[in-house]
C-alpha cells in the first residue's frame, strides 16, 4: 500500500484543517488506518486510529474531542478533521496503515504496529 498524506498548512490557533490520506496499490478498506504526528525534538505520537472491520475509532487524550478520524472506503481515502487547533498541535502529520491491526481503546496507538506509511504533511498553528 502506498499512502500519501495531504492537507497540511498554516492556520491560526482555534482554526481547523482537514488532512487526507490517499492510498494506492492495495485495498485500503482492508487496513486499519492511523494518524501520527511528530514535532521537532519529540517522539512520534499516535493520535488516532480507525479500524477496518467495524469502523471503530480510537483517539489519544491530547486530541480527543477536537479531532475526528474517518474513512471513505469507496474512494480509498481517510481523513483527519482537526478543530480547535492549538500551537501545540504543530507537527508533521503522517498516515499509516496495517492489514492485521485492530486498534484497541485500552492501548496506545503505536507506530510499531503499522506497516505502511505515507510521507508527512506539515501542520503549523500560530498563536
Amino acid at each position: 500500500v502506498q499512502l500519501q498524506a495531504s492537507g497540511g498548512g498554516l492556520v491560526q490557533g482555534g482554526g481547523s484543517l482537514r488532512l487526507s490520506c490517499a492510498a494506492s496499490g492495495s485495498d485500503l478498506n482492508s487496513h486499519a488506518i492511523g494518524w501520527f504526528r511528530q514535532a521537532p525534538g519529540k517522539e512520534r505520537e499516535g493520535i488516532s486510529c480507525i479500524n477496518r472491520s467495524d469502523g471503530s475509532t480510537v483517539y489519544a487524550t491530547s486530541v480527543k474531542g477536537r479531532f475526528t478520524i474517518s474513512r471513505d472506503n469507496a474512494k480509498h481515502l481517510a481523513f483527519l478533521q482537526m478543530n480547535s487547533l492549538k500551537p501545540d498541535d504543530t507537527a508533521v502529520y503522517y498516515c499509516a496503515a496495517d492489514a492485521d491491526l485492530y486498534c484497541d481503546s485500552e492501548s496506545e496507538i503505536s507506530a510499531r504496529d503499522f506497516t505502511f506509511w505515507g510521507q508527512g504533511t506539515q501542520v503549523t498553528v500560530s498563536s
Side-chain angles (χ1 to χ4, degrees):
V1 178
Q2 290 81 48
L3 303 173
Q4 183 167 355
S6 61
L10 174 63
V11 63
Q12 276 194 323
S16 298
L17 281 175
R18 188 175 82 153
L19 305 184
S20 298
C21 180
S24 61
S26 185
D27 182 7
L28 188 63
N29 305 342
S30 61
H31 294 71
I33 301 165
W35 283 97
F36 293 78
R37 66 185 181 186
Q38 189 164 19
K42 294 187 177 181
E43 293 187 356
R44 189 165 297 191
E45 176 190 16
I47 57 174
S48 189
C49 176
I50 185 166
N51 288 305
R52 59 183 171 89
S53 55
D54 56 12
S56 58
T57 57
V58 180
Y59 296 94
T61 302
S62 58
V63 305
K64 191 175 294 184
R66 300 188 298 123
F67 291 10
T68 302
I69 190 172
S70 62
R71 63 194 302 162
D72 184 334
N73 287 336
K75 296 182 179 179
H76 300 283
L77 292 170
F79 305 99
L80 186 69
Q81 178 67 42
M82 306 187 295
N83 299 329
S84 302
L85 283 162
K86 308 173 184 179
D88 284 349
D89 295 318
T90 295
V92 178
Y93 283 70
Y94 301 87
C95 61
D98 191 273
D100 297 320
L101 177 65
Y102 185 85
C103 292
D104 183 342
S105 61
E106 300 300 316
S107 303
E108 70 171 7
I109 303 165
S110 175
R112 295 188 301 271
D113 294 331
F114 287 83
T115 303
F116 304 103
W117 290 83
Q119 91 295 347
T121 185
Q122 177 71 46
V123 171
T124 303
V125 184
S126 63
S127 55

